[in-house]
Amino acid sequence: MIIQRKRLIESFVIVLSIFAIQTQAQISHIEIPPFSSNVMIPQSRARAFAPDRGGSVEITEIGALIDILENTATTTIEIRLHNTSNRRQEAELIFPVPDGAVVTGFAYDGPGRMITAKVLPKDEARRIYDSLVAKIRDPALAEFIGYNLIRSSVFPVEANSNQKVRLTYEHLLEMDGNRVDYFLPRTESLEYKVPWEIKVNIKSKRPVSTVYSPTHNLIGLKKINLENMEEKEGPVEISAHTEKGANVPGPFRLSYLMEDDGVTASMFAYPDEKVGGGYFLLLAGLPADVLNNKDATAIKREVTLVIDKSGSMNGEKIEQVKEAALQIIAGLKMGEAFNVIIYSNSVEKFARKPVIKTRETEGQAREYIKGMTPSGGTNIYDALTEALSQEPTEDMIPIVLFLTDGLPTIGQTSELVIREVITKSNPYKRRVFTFGVGLDVNAPLLERIAAESRARAEFVLPKEDVEVKIGKVFNRLTGPILAEPELDVIEENGGYAMGRTRDIIPNKLPDLFEGDQLILLGQYVGKKPITFKISGNYLGKERSFKFTFNFEKENVKNGFVPRLWASRKIAELIDDIRQMGADSNVNRNDPKVKELVDEIVRLSTEFGILTEYTAFLAREGTDLGRRSDVMRDAEILFEERALNSRTGRGGLSQGFNMGAQREQKTLNYDNGFINENFDRVSITNVQQINDMAYYFKNNRWVDSRLVESESNITPDKVIEFGSDEYFELARKLAAQGRQGSMALGGGRGGRGGFGDVLMKVDDQSVLIRNSQ
């Protein structure tokens, strides 16, 4: 049972402002409350720093419950402790918290005698921090310089037993226009392995358009209309959570947008002089309940099912496809349109053109689908051509669900020629969602067909249920809200804003369906306010939405913005190489291939974003300073995989990786990807910390800006851990939001300890000696 004490005996929860740090020499004559042997930072290091009692107290699991009411957040962190020793011990916990946080509760379970809370004046709190650094001599503390800290003590944690501790604090959230931001400090170290589950509840009187986290995948997102509503359009409650037991590192960031008339948008900006301005992330959402408005009507859909019934589809596959087709027809609303095209050696159609769904046409389609029998080869070219050339249904968004389980074997089989059908013979702008079933499909071909038509490709592995995969895609296509959106960057007078943006990704905006959000990434030039205009078919009418942003709140703490941009940009470049593989005459010596590989290697090195093609950059023994050798190795890998591996396990695993990276919304700290065995592989010798990247080379962490010349560098300055210069640098980096660089671990996937760090500070190379 959790025991809550309002008046806590001998207590000391200490709010530490650790921005102004003193040195060990300055505090040597100040009386400081002693620390226990088991000091831990739940968001960073989960094991006691000084286990000198035959064992230690460890953190085994953490849960966070975040309740947001308007712009106030109440965060409850529950920590599970385990005492590995044969005698009772004291646990001492240090909690980094946001500015302005107020502790509202501290509780524990069990018969503990001592759990305390006392807020100290700031000057005394700084001395406590310095004493802590001096005692445990651990760079982990540097990661949270600049934050307020709460120090707490729990006694006893009984021998070989578990204990739960619960901390609750409140703070006001930052707002930027119609956007509300939440931040929970956590380490970005890949060596941090404590499983977390984070749950979020948002209550708001104003309707919420969209919820987004750039750091964690949110699942179970749902909206609840609260009872006894006083206002017509609110209040509402939105809940979501991260995957239970996940050990994804990094702070937990969450943002949500308040609804506006139609499309709502906000911008995150990251300054970077190298690109003449910086990087931006534009987040846009739709009204959450727009289709419940009696005056609003979703754009109707025209869906054409194109089904491969070649001989290889025989058995369970064809039965699953039939069931999926029946469910899709049933899922369409009366008055929407559909058609069914089946193909093998030849192409057959249910109707000459899409028909309006009625009870009669639905019944006829059901009989037609049930009578399909597999036979023959695979005529992809004619089937795709037939689907795209159909006479369209007026005032409907045309969608094609195209399924195949093999390579083209009948008729025109050239990948180049088939690919051109979607770019040159799609007069009615049909969206072609492709489904590759099994291992014998041409993954790059299906991906390009989908990408060129504002759609996406899906792959169904052996033993996966085809019906389930198709059903999930169709369910996402519910209620088209904004069709054929276009983006313009304009001046205040409405004219085209020349030279204000570069490399916007994606360059072709997708249709937005109910519940969708739009994320655009790019570079901005200059510091003048910028206006984005999104235009398209909004609920059946042409509308435009304008959003003007200034750069007053651009911040290097938005380091996720350039990293997400770089990841998507690398995916685009890789896809360009994969598509060149359709021409058998192209190899790694092609000048265009060399140019693309060079840019991929450059971006990968700078941002610390590695893929299956560039993972070797982090390998021990790879000297990034030997550029010609690096390029040769990269070109060989791209030829073997991106150019030549188009089908089978190699082709499909690349398809999965590229699909995820092209649409990436959250950070991929460990550079994880799927290998040819469909196992997830991660890279731990590269660390993405704050807005910087580090490589573990020659037993030290090296700034990506120095890594190519690392072997020839004599540091301009060497700084010892705990010295005056160390604390001075810590303050400087904290002001920039980059102090995490000083707390890097020992490398090699959890080797333990702390590594030396070679970083670039201003124009100097600085070596921080943490290992001593």
Side-chain angles (χ1 to χ4, degrees):
M1 181 179 74
I2 297 291
I3 300 174
Q4 182 78 44
R5 297 189 181 184
K6 292 184 179 178
R7 295 183 178 179
L8 304 171
I9 303 172
E10 293 183 336
S11 60
F12 55 93
V13 171
I14 304 162
V15 177
L16 302 173
S17 277
I18 55 176
F19 225 72
I21 303 171
Q22 302 177 38
T23 65
Q24 182 179 352
Q26 291 173 301
I27 63 171
S28 57
H29 300 294
I30 298 173
E31 292 186 9
I32 305 286
F35 292 92
S36 77
S37 295
N38 295 301
V39 181
M40 291 165 282
I41 305 175
Q43 295 109 306
S44 178
R45 305 302 181 207
R47 184 173 295 177
F49 290 116
D52 56 357
R53 302 186 179 184
S56 63
V57 178
E58 300 175 353
I59 298 173
T60 59
E61 187 179 3
I62 298 177
L65 175 62
I66 303 161
D67 289 306
I68 299 174
L69 178 61
E70 303 305 336
N71 65 329
T72 300
T74 300
T75 303
T76 300
I77 300 178
E78 184 174 280
I79 302 149
R80 295 178 181 269
L81 304 172
H82 177 66
N83 183 354
T84 64
S85 73
N86 294 321
R87 55 177 170 170
R88 59 170 48 177
Q89 296 201 54
E90 179 182 2
E92 197 153 347
L93 304 175
I94 304 294
F95 300 89
V97 294
D99 288 341
V102 177
V103 178
T104 58
F106 205 96
Y108 67 99
D109 66 351
R113 294 199 309 266
M114 183 187 298
I115 179 168
T116 61
K118 181 181 178 183
V119 179
L120 300 182
K122 285 189 176 181
D123 56 347
E124 191 172 352
R126 288 194 293 269
R127 297 166 189 161
I128 292 289
Y129 169 76
D130 290 344
S131 175
L132 185 61
V133 172
K135 177 178 174 61
I136 42 186
R137 299 192 58 79
D138 198 294
L141 289 168
E143 187 165 8
F144 299 111
I145 290 174
Y147 291 98
N148 290 333
L149 298 181
I150 297 170
R151 175 187 170 195
S152 67
S153 177
V154 178
F155 180 84
V157 181
E158 297 292 348
N160 298 307
S161 67
N162 300 316
Q163 178 79 283
K164 278 195 295 188
V165 178
R166 182 180 295 164
L167 167 71
T168 302
Y169 64 87
E170 294 181 356
H171 72 292
L172 292 176
L173 301 182
E174 292 188 10
M175 298 187 67
D176 186 353
N178 61 351
R179 191 185 79 230
V180 181
D181 297 327
Y182 175 90
F183 183 86
L184 174 64
R186 294 172 71 242
T187 182
E188 293 184 278
S189 171
L190 294 179
E191 296 184 354
Y192 182 72
K193 299 298 182 183
V194 175
W196 278 65
E197 182 180 17
I198 301 172
K199 297 180 180 180
V200 183
N201 297 311
I202 302 169
K203 293 182 181 178
S204 174
K205 291 181 180 179
R206 287 184 60 188
V208 173
S209 170
T210 193
V211 180
Y212 170 61
S213 172
T215 56
H216 291 73
N217 288 318
L218 298 177
I219 57 180
L221 191 65
K222 61 183 179 180
K223 178 179 178 181
I224 304 169
N225 289 312
L226 301 180
E227 296 180 358
N228 302 319
M229 293 187 299
E230 296 179 0
E231 299 179 21
K232 185 177 179 181
E233 303 202 358
V236 295
E237 179 174 350
I238 295 174
S239 63
H241 59 93
T242 61
E243 182 182 354
K244 186 175 183 178
N247 55 11
V248 177
F252 176 70
R253 292 177 179 265
L254 180 128
S255 298
Y256 61 92
L257 305 185
M258 299 297 185
E259 260 185 34
D260 207 339
D261 176 26
V263 178
T264 304
S266 185
M267 185 180 73
F268 300 89
Y270 172 94
D272 190 340
E273 294 181 357
K274 297 195 304 295
V275 300
Y279 296 86
F280 71 86
L281 183 153
L282 180 72
L283 172 66
L286 303 168
D289 289 325
V290 64
L291 296 182
N292 292 333
N293 188 325
K294 64 180 180 179
D295 298 324
T297 304
I299 305 168
K300 291 184 177 180
R301 298 165 295 180
E302 174 210 277
V303 177
T304 298
L305 290 162
V306 184
I307 300 172
D308 180 353
K309 72 174 190 75
S310 60
S312 57
M313 287 288 292
N314 194 29
E316 186 178 26
K317 282 193 289 188
I318 196 65
E319 295 305 318
Q320 291 178 351
V321 169
K322 286 181 182 181
E323 189 58 37
L326 294 173
Q327 289 188 15
I328 288 170
I329 301 298
L332 290 170
K333 296 177 181 178
M334 292 294 177
E336 293 188 309
F338 72 91
N339 201 359
V340 181
I341 297 175
I342 58 177
Y343 70 99
S344 55
N345 288 2
S346 58
V347 180
E348 301 171 352
K349 294 192 292 185
F350 166 71
R352 183 177 61 83
K353 64 178 183 177
V355 297
I356 301 299
K357 178 183 174 180
T358 63
R359 287 187 177 85
E360 181 181 6
T361 56
E362 181 181 6
Q364 292 170 340
R366 292 180 67 86
E367 293 303 315
Y368 185 78
I369 292 168
K370 288 179 180 178
M372 284 192 304
T373 56
S375 65
T378 306
N379 191 342
I380 291 178
Y381 178 86
D382 285 350
L384 183 60
T385 302
E386 196 69 47
L388 298 181
S389 63
Q390 296 178 103
E391 184 180 335
T393 308
E394 189 175 358
D395 296 328
M396 293 193 187
I397 181 171
I399 296 170
V400 174
L401 304 181
F402 191 98
L403 183 144
T404 181
D405 81 329
L407 302 173
T409 58
I410 300 295
Q412 178 58 257
T413 59
S414 166
E415 181 180 342
L416 286 172
V417 175
I418 294 173
R419 195 172 68 192
E420 287 182 347
V421 173
I422 198 67
T423 56
K424 297 181 179 180
S425 303
N426 188 14
Y428 308 115
K429 299 180 181 179
R430 282 187 160 86
R431 286 72 162 160
V432 184
F433 292 84
T434 56
F435 298 85
V437 182
L439 300 177
D440 298 325
V441 296
N442 186 322
L445 173 61
L446 297 181
E447 291 168 49
R448 180 49 62 97
I449 289 172
E452 288 290 341
S453 63
R454 299 182 191 265
R456 66 180 65 178
E458 297 284 347
F459 298 101
V460 186
L461 295 176
K463 298 183 179 180
E464 283 191 314
D465 194 315
V466 182
E467 176 189 347
V468 171
K469 209 68 173 275
I470 296 175
K472 284 183 178 179
V473 172
F474 182 70
N475 289 338
R476 291 201 300 264
L477 304 180
T478 300
I481 308 296
L482 182 64
E484 298 186 42
E486 299 290 340
L487 176 71
D488 293 296
V489 183
I490 60 176
E491 299 283 5
E492 292 182 6
N493 60 10
Y496 177 71
M498 293 185 293
R500 291 303 314 278
T501 60
R502 285 191 297 259
D503 279 325
I504 295 180
I505 305 171
N507 57 14
K508 183 178 291 186
L509 274 57
D511 299 312
L512 297 181
F513 294 81
E514 187 176 20
D516 280 350
Q517 61 183 201
L518 176 66
I519 293 178
L520 296 175
L521 293 143
Q523 297 176 353
Y524 62 87
V525 179
K527 302 295 183 180
K528 293 193 305 181
I530 192 168
T531 299
F532 295 96
K533 183 177 76 171
I534 298 176
S535 307
N537 179 352
Y538 182 81
L539 297 174
K541 298 179 181 179
E542 289 298 320
R543 285 193 63 180
S544 294
F545 305 92
K546 296 180 182 179
F547 312 98
T548 299
F549 305 106
N550 58 46
F551 297 98
E552 293 176 356
K553 292 189 176 182
E554 63 178 6
N555 198 320
V556 294
K557 293 182 180 180
N558 292 332
F560 61 89
V561 175
R563 186 158 288 129
L564 289 173
W565 174 85
S567 187
R568 287 197 183 187
K569 183 64 179 179
I570 289 168
E572 279 193 350
L573 298 173
I574 292 172
D575 187 61
D576 287 343
I577 296 177
R578 294 180 75 221
Q579 296 304 323
M580 292 175 70
D583 184 347
S584 59
N585 294 318
V586 173
N587 58 42
R588 69 176 185 268
N589 296 316
D590 186 289
K592 181 62 175 176
V593 173
K594 286 181 173 291
E595 179 183 350
L596 290 169
V597 172
D598 184 76
E599 181 64 4
I600 291 168
V601 170
R602 185 188 70 80
L603 289 172
S604 298
T605 304
E606 177 182 352
F607 290 95
I609 296 171
L610 306 188
T611 64
E612 59 189 293
Y613 316 98
T614 53
F616 75 95
L617 296 177
R619 189 175 58 209
E620 283 287 342
T622 299
D623 185 350
L624 298 182
R626 302 178 66 174
R627 183 70 175 180
S628 60
D629 292 347
V630 169
M631 289 303 300
R632 183 196 65 236
D633 291 347
E635 289 163 5
I636 291 172
L637 284 169
F638 274 101
E639 182 177 59
E640 290 176 349
R641 299 180 185 177
L643 288 175
N644 297 337
S645 182
R646 315 194 69 71
T647 188
R649 290 179 173 272
L652 257 68
S653 61
Q654 291 179 78
F656 280 114
N657 292 327
M658 287 302 98
Q661 196 167 343
R662 274 196 301 266
E663 300 180 0
Q664 186 176 341
K665 295 181 179 182
T666 60
L667 296 175
N668 181 12
Y669 276 103
D670 64 355
N671 286 304
F673 61 85
I674 304 299
N675 65 15
E676 293 188 2
N677 295 320
F678 302 108
D679 297 321
R680 191 178 189 278
V681 177
S682 60
I683 301 169
T684 58
N685 273 9
V686 174
Q687 284 262 216
Q688 301 169 6
I689 297 288
N690 307 133
D691 63 336
M692 305 170 75
Y694 288 86
Y695 291 75
F696 195 72
K697 298 287 185 182
N698 297 319
N699 292 316
R700 63 184 180 183
W701 290 102
V702 183
D703 191 324
S704 64
R705 296 169 294 179
L706 302 174
V707 71
E708 291 186 352
S709 55
E710 181 263 342
S711 59
N712 298 319
I713 287 179
T714 299
D716 296 316
K717 184 180 293 186
V718 177
I719 297 178
E720 300 291 339
F721 171 78
S723 65
D724 290 353
E725 285 184 304
Y726 178 88
F727 289 123
E728 181 181 346
L729 179 60
R731 288 195 299 272
K732 182 174 183 175
L733 294 178
Q736 302 170 359
R738 292 168 172 157
Q739 66 272 38
S741 299
M742 302 181 70
L744 285 163
R748 294 195 183 123
R751 186 187 64 179
F754 290 85
D756 291 347
V757 181
L758 179 63
M759 66 170 62
K760 187 175 182 179
V761 180
D762 298 327
D763 292 324
Q764 289 188 314
S765 58
V766 177
L767 178 65
I768 301 174
R769 292 174 59 86
N770 284 331
S771 60
Q772 302 303 314

